[in-house]
Amino acid sequence: LVGALGKAAGQLTSTAVVVLFQNLICFVVIIPVAIRGGPASLRSHKIGLHVLRAATGTACWYALFVAITMMPLTNAVLLTFSAPLWMPGIAWLVSRQKAAMATWVGATIGFVGVILVLQPQHHEFNIGTPLALAGALLLGVALMSVRWLGASEPMPRILFYYFLFSTVMVLPLALLEWRPLEPRTWIYLIGVGIAQLFSQVFIVLAYRYASSVKLSPFIYTTIVFTALIDWAISHRSPTFFVALGIAFVIVGGLVAIRGKTDASLAAIES
């Protein structure tokens, strides 16, 4: 949903303005929640990690919003959200956290499903492709940082610093590219901000209760929802490949969950 609204807004204003509103609206909403406990609720010993998450997250969205102006929305989202394929490797490099075989199998099945969703579409290579892939790497780091922060930082504080730093980072460029906005543009920008707020809340909650390598296959559902949104807007019925791809994504997620359940039962029995 964020991608679809971002593409619509990006056709009417600059990418920097879209990213600014995406984060500024969320920042305004999260302020009263984050400061509810007074100044002490904002005190953190992991400011560097907050900056890392904001920098990689903001750069990821910027790359995606630019990419979707150069290629189909579904293709750009697919490339960007291939990040879960890299996350088990990132987890191992940083913390030597190993993924179970079921996680790798689930991730592979999910990725096959994504490819099936896109198989009917054939587009030539363009600059949007490396931008989307760069966004994938940045997203992988951003999601890992969410897991690290969630181990000790409360959700309101995580969101507060993410939206604060992201707003500050993109503000100068947005001011340079600012142009008067039409009423329709304001609607899209506000929609982007609201959708982003809910997505960030759910991401932080998810990574608080499960590891990144276990949650990574579920990121593939983003491409499925994107394809469905494209279908709803264009009034085109899903093809056989789309339906089959959705099934693969769901099965991949279930395989990953089963792997986690089996590991937990084995630990209890031992």
Side-chain angles (χ1 to χ4, degrees), residues 1 3 6 28-29 36 38 59-60 102 110 141 181 193 214 248 252-253:
L1 183 58
V28 172
V29 173
R36 186 170 48 189
C60 167
V141 177
L181 303 177
K214 286 295 181 181
F248 267 72

Side-chain angles (χ1 to χ4, degrees), residues 218-236:
F218 292 94
I219 303 298
Y220 294 129
T221 58
T222 300
I223 188 65
V224 176
F225 290 130
T226 301
L228 291 176
I229 290 173
D230 274 345
W231 164 62
I233 294 176
S234 62
H235 303 290
R236 291 178 301 182

Side-chain angles (χ1 to χ4, degrees), residues 58-258:
T58 302
C60 167
W61 281 111
Y62 197 99
L64 175 60
F65 286 149
V66 173
I68 61 180
T69 64
M70 302 177 177
M71 60 193 304
L73 173 63
T74 307
N75 295 48
V77 173
L78 165 67
L79 293 175
T80 300
F81 283 84
S82 66
L85 288 178
W86 309 346
M87 288 176 63
I90 295 175
W92 183 84
L93 288 174
V94 175
S95 60
R96 294 300 186 266
Q97 179 183 0
K98 296 182 180 180
M101 179 59 67
T103 301
W104 289 107
V105 172
T108 301
I109 294 174
F111 186 73
V112 170
V114 171
I115 297 300
L116 287 172
V117 169
L118 295 178
Q119 187 172 350
Q121 302 182 19
H122 300 283
H123 300 276
E124 295 181 357
F125 176 86
N126 60 48
I127 191 63
T129 299
L131 283 174
L133 288 174
L137 178 59
L138 292 165
L139 178 61
V141 177
L143 292 177
M144 288 298 301
S145 66
V146 171
R147 174 63 177 174
W148 300 329
L149 286 168
S152 59
E153 299 278 80
M155 182 185 68
R157 185 188 302 162
I158 294 175
L159 295 177
F160 174 85
Y161 281 116
Y162 174 74
F163 294 132
L164 169 63
F165 291 140
S166 296
T167 299
V168 172
M169 289 174 184
V170 77
L171 180 60
L173 186 56
L175 291 176
L176 289 175
E177 300 179 353
W178 180 264
R179 298 291 185 276
L181 303 177
E182 300 177 359
R184 182 175 54 154
T185 310
W186 284 101
I187 294 175
Y188 288 139
L189 292 175
I190 293 174
V192 168
I194 294 175
Q196 173 73 351
L197 176 64
F198 280 100
S199 71
Q200 289 298 314
V201 169
F202 290 139
I203 287 173
V204 171
L205 287 175
Y207 279 87
R208 179 178 294 275
Y209 296 106
S211 69
S212 56
V213 294
K214 286 295 181 181
L215 285 173
S216 60
F218 292 94
I219 303 298
Y220 294 129
T221 58
T222 300
I223 188 65
V224 176
F225 290 130
T226 301
L228 291 176
I229 290 173
D230 274 345
W231 164 62
I233 294 176
S234 62
H235 303 290
R236 291 178 301 182
S237 300
T239 66
F240 170 77
F241 288 105
V242 171
L244 185 61
I246 292 174
F248 267 72
V249 171
I250 294 174
V251 170
L254 293 176
V255 170
I257 290 179
R258 181 59 184 270

